[in-house]
Amino acid sequence: MPRVEIDPAALARAGLFTPDGTVNRTTEEFRLIKRAVLERAARAQADGAPNANLVMITSTREGEGKTFIALNLAFSLAAEQDRSVMLIDADPAKSSVSAYLGFESERGLTDLLRDGGEHLSEVARHTSIKGLSIVASGERDPLGTELFASDRMGALLQAFCRDCPDSIVILDAPPVLATSEPSSLARHVDQAVVVVEADRTSRAAITEALNLIAICPHIGLVLNKARFRFGAVRFGAYYKSYYRPGRRYVRARH
């Protein structure tokens, strides 16, 4: 497949992390998230988890910025000297990754699952950013939830982790409360990052979403679209509050 050309200047204009860009608050914040993700992946690998490299990015509802977070995290991971990253668009209804980066693909994840493919490399595309490859979402399928929950999906992901132990796989999944697909994907990954929009997402919605993906061993939260006043919060503090690797969320008792 042809390489996807990514324009760093266009990324910068969109407020996205660029590996060769200037250091700013956004790049530093995503380095904090990246470190937490990598530390959890390293612990899972040390424990022999077959899905140690797999990270799902989702949100409660649409519009909270999950794809923005997924892209920034992928670009930040690609900047690592000894790591590579595969970004999978696992949201066929929106295909937001392809829309952000401005490319189209004839085949993607759902096509591979439906056609009985054996390896993600069959639909992966290299990009002009070193260390980053992309898998498009593919054609929307009415049985998408079943495809994502299938043993074939698990086998594809685990085969990639086995063959590429130094690569992190990020799945940009649909919002949890919009479709059952994230609940299916949660059974395949070691960690999930739930994007929460500041001053908009209710505690009830967060609790419901977390319970729907509770099968995932490790779930963290990232607060997005937060407004900060200079000096009001120490840099990076809200990640410690909202992103907690290793914490399992369960239904609250009243």
Side-chain angles (χ1 to χ4, degrees):
M1 291 186 179
R3 188 174 76 161
V4 176
E5 297 294 331
I6 297 176
D7 181 3
L11 295 181
R13 288 193 297 270
L16 293 165
F17 180 102
T18 54
D20 57 350
T22 57
V23 175
N24 54 42
R25 181 161 187 155
T26 298
T27 60
E28 291 303 299
E29 287 169 347
F30 277 98
R31 282 171 173 150
L32 290 175
I33 301 176
K34 173 177 66 175
R35 291 271 78 82
V37 168
L38 289 174
E39 287 170 8
R40 171 57 219 163
R43 288 196 297 270
Q45 283 182 321
D47 292 339
N51 58 354
N53 303 17
L54 306 179
V55 183
M56 178 176 73
I57 311 294
T58 185
S59 60
T60 59
R61 297 188 174 94
E62 293 184 7
E64 295 186 282
K66 67 175 183 63
T67 300
F68 178 83
I69 298 296
L71 284 165
N72 272 299
L73 179 57
F75 293 141
S76 185
L77 284 164
E80 291 289 299
Q81 297 301 303
D82 54 354
R83 288 279 187 175
S84 61
V85 57
M86 173 178 282
L87 176 59
I88 300 178
D89 191 337
D91 189 355
K94 294 292 185 180
S95 299
S96 297
V97 170
S98 301
Y100 256 104
L101 301 181
F103 78 96
E104 296 181 0
S105 180
E106 294 181 358
R107 296 187 72 224
L109 178 61
T110 55
D111 306 297
L112 185 68
L113 291 168
R114 189 173 49 244
D115 299 342
E118 297 182 356
H119 204 278
L120 287 170
S121 60
E122 297 175 35
V123 291
R125 297 179 65 172
H126 295 293
T127 74
S128 54
I129 293 179
K130 183 181 179 181
L132 174 65
S133 60
I134 297 174
V135 172
S137 60
E139 184 179 357
R140 190 175 184 181
D141 193 292
L143 296 178
T145 297
E146 287 73 19
L147 288 174
F148 286 170
S150 67
D151 291 340
R152 180 178 296 162
M153 178 69 167
L156 282 171
L157 292 172
Q158 289 187 22
F160 184 83
C161 289
R162 183 183 63 247
D163 297 342
C164 304
D166 294 326
S167 184
I168 297 291
V169 179
I170 297 176
L171 295 101
D172 179 29
V176 178
L177 301 184
T179 173
S180 58
E181 291 170 349
S183 298
S184 297
L185 290 170
R187 66 190 294 264
H188 299 302
V189 302
D190 178 70
Q191 54 181 312
V193 175
V194 180
V195 179
V196 175
E197 183 174 352
D199 303 321
R200 177 175 178 265
T201 308
S202 68
R203 177 177 292 185
I206 296 170
T207 300
E208 183 179 359
L210 293 175
N211 281 305
L212 287 171
I213 60 171
I215 194 172
C216 177
H218 302 90
I219 303 174
L221 305 180
V222 166
L223 186 68
N224 194 31
K225 303 183 184 180
R227 297 178 181 179
F228 293 99
R229 290 178 288 106
F230 182 78
V233 63
R234 186 175 63 83
F235 172 76
Y238 66 100
Y239 281 120
K240 294 180 181 178
S241 299
Y242 289 93
Y243 184 76
R244 301 181 185 179
R247 176 171 177 178
R248 179 112 177 209
Y249 290 85
V250 297
R251 187 178 300 278
R253 294 181 181 271
H254 299 284

